[in-house]
Amino acid sequence: MAINVLSYFTIQSHVVMVIALALAVVVGIRGQPEPQWLTVLRLLATTYVVVSGGVFALLILDQELSPFLLQAPLASRLLHFVLPIYAVGDFVFATHRRLPWSAAWLSLGFPILWAGYTLVRGNAANWYPYFFLDPSAAGGYGMISVYAFGLAVVILTLATALIATTRMRRGSP
């Protein structure tokens, strides 16, 4: 079912990344400085694709599925490993605007909305994109809360680290 594929955080985060990069290209072609909202969008997209790749890598390591990595389709390897590395490089080396620390808190908005959607839809459709959001597989809503809290800490930490890279440069607006 197509809606199932579109329900993965990986897919949605990469759609956000493609939109952010396309907008950055348009702004660059026009010779305009990148507006702050676009830099924040790139921050959020980078954070999300890196978390997506990190969670995928941890699941492979945790389940001792390391051989799966070599057998994973090229598209999966691109989404989970190549594009997150590219996104970090792009953000670190192509961002010229200094972001406020408070922008890190914005990084929680989309994942919270996505998790709410996923839990409601998962209950209705009896399908969850990830085991750690399925109450029966995760050990109940208490464990889902633990996973969610852990991911929120990771997301905030990563967003803060990316913001720090924008604040280390001289001459940033």
Side-chain angles (χ1 to χ4, degrees), residues 3-171:
I3 190 134
N4 287 353
V5 172
L6 295 174
S7 294
Y8 282 97
F9 188 82
T10 299
I11 301 300
Q12 292 184 14
S13 64
H14 283 77
V15 167
V16 172
M17 175 60 55
V18 167
I19 291 168
L21 291 175
L23 290 170
V25 166
V26 169
V27 167
I29 289 172
R30 291 182 177 171
Q32 301 169 334
E34 185 173 276
Q36 184 167 344
W37 66 266
L38 182 52
T39 306
V40 170
L41 181 61
R42 288 179 50 242
L43 164 75
L44 301 179
T46 300
T47 301
Y48 303 151
V49 298
V50 170
V51 167
S52 170
V55 167
F56 183 78
L58 285 174
L59 292 175
I60 287 174
L61 293 175
D62 186 43
Q63 295 182 5
E64 298 180 16
L65 293 176
S66 300
F68 172 74
L69 178 58
L70 300 174
Q71 298 169 6
L74 178 61
S76 185
R77 286 181 276 166
L78 285 171
L79 284 177
H80 292 101
F81 300 111
V82 175
L83 290 176
I85 291 168
Y86 172 81
V88 169
D90 175 71
F91 189 83
V92 169
F93 298 112
T95 299
H96 303 291
R97 179 174 294 282
R98 190 178 172 137
L99 290 177
W101 295 111
S102 59
W105 292 105
L106 295 173
S107 67
L108 294 178
F110 175 68
I112 288 170
L113 291 173
W114 174 83
Y117 156 80
T118 300
L119 291 172
V120 169
R121 183 178 181 280
N123 189 42
N126 197 29
W127 180 86
Y128 296 85
Y130 304 103
F131 77 89
F132 52 85
L133 291 173
D134 180 346
S136 61
Y141 287 101
M143 279 308 298
I144 290 173
S145 298
V146 170
Y147 288 128
F149 179 78
L151 284 169
V153 169
V154 168
I155 289 167
L156 276 174
T157 302
L158 180 57
T160 300
L162 289 169
I163 290 169
T165 69
T166 72
R167 301 179 69 78
M168 290 190 229
R169 296 186 197 92
R170 296 178 192 258

